Amino acid sequence: MNLTLITHLIAAAVAAAAAWFYQGAQMDAAVAKLNATHAAQESERHRIALDDARETFRKGEIHARNQQEIADAHDAQEKRRLARLAAAAADGERLRQQVTEFAATCGGREAQSLAAALQHCRDRAATLGVLYREADGQAEEFAGAAEKHADEVRTLKAVIANDRALIAPALGLKIRNTATVPLP
């Protein structure tokens, strides 16, 4: 009887050890599956983060390129404005020269002596020359200020339209009139 009991006890111990090893193997398989799932999820999160970073970088490149185009267009406008101002200054100088030449060759009136008429004509021409210079200077200042203001407004409109075009899709917004403003 002792032998039967011992045999049963050994069989029970072997069965318990086998069950324990089986459960251990199942737990190891479940842990491995959990680790694999976690690794796949982590890999997917990294892929999504990398895609987002690439998209953000691409948008940054587009934005920088658009900003550079705007800056280049503004520089070109400024060069054209300066050329127009130089041409206007040359025209004004030519007009002043003509007035000065007219004053030098101005004839007299009937009621005055020739010297008095000549002096009167020169004084009048000199006054006109001063007035022309002042008017021309003011006109250049006003034209320059107006052109600069218009350039700034066009530039800001282009920047705003560009920013709207980039930001709206990123935020999932639908903004009306997101077309870019054509650069002059």
Side-chain angles (χ1 to χ4, degrees):
M1 179 146 149
N2 261 344
L3 190 57
T4 317
L5 185 60
I6 293 176
T7 306
H8 285 297
L9 284 178
I10 291 175
V14 168
W20 184 68
F21 282 120
Y22 177 75
Q23 285 180 348
Q26 282 185 334
M27 291 297 277
D28 288 344
V31 168
K33 183 179 177 183
L34 195 62
N35 284 340
T37 303
H38 178 69
Q41 289 172 348
E42 194 66 23
S43 176
E44 181 65 14
R45 276 195 291 270
H46 285 290
R47 187 194 61 76
I48 290 171
L50 184 60
D51 289 347
D52 288 346
R54 285 180 181 147
E55 182 68 18
T56 301
F57 183 73
R58 186 186 66 76
K59 286 179 181 179
E61 284 180 325
I62 291 169
H63 185 68
R65 186 174 43 248
N66 289 341
Q67 293 300 322
Q68 187 60 49
E69 288 173 3
I70 290 169
D72 291 345
H74 181 70
D75 289 343
Q77 284 177 341
E78 185 65 18
K79 288 177 184 175
R80 287 192 303 270
R81 185 184 71 82
L82 291 175
R84 287 192 304 266
L85 285 176
D91 287 344
E93 188 58 39
R94 197 168 33 257
L95 177 62
R96 281 190 286 281
Q97 184 63 32
Q98 289 173 353
V99 170
T100 303
E101 289 173 4
F102 174 74
T105 60
C106 186
R109 288 192 205 158
E110 296 174 15
Q112 296 178 339
S113 70
L114 184 57
L118 201 68
Q119 185 59 42
H120 176 72
C121 191
R122 285 183 180 146
D123 292 343
R124 185 172 180 200
T127 301
L128 284 174
V130 169
L131 291 175
Y132 282 144
R133 275 192 293 277
E134 289 178 10
D136 190 42
Q138 288 178 356
E140 285 179 16
E141 288 176 17
F142 291 145
E147 185 67 28
K148 185 176 180 182
H149 178 70
D151 288 345
E152 290 172 355
V153 168
R154 283 190 290 271
T155 300
L156 289 175
K157 283 177 70 175
V159 168
I160 289 169
N162 183 46
D163 287 347
R164 281 185 176 177
L166 287 174
I167 291 172
L171 298 178
L173 301 175
K174 292 183 181 177
I175 299 177
R176 285 180 266 143
N177 299 329
T178 57
T180 58
V181 176
L183 297 174

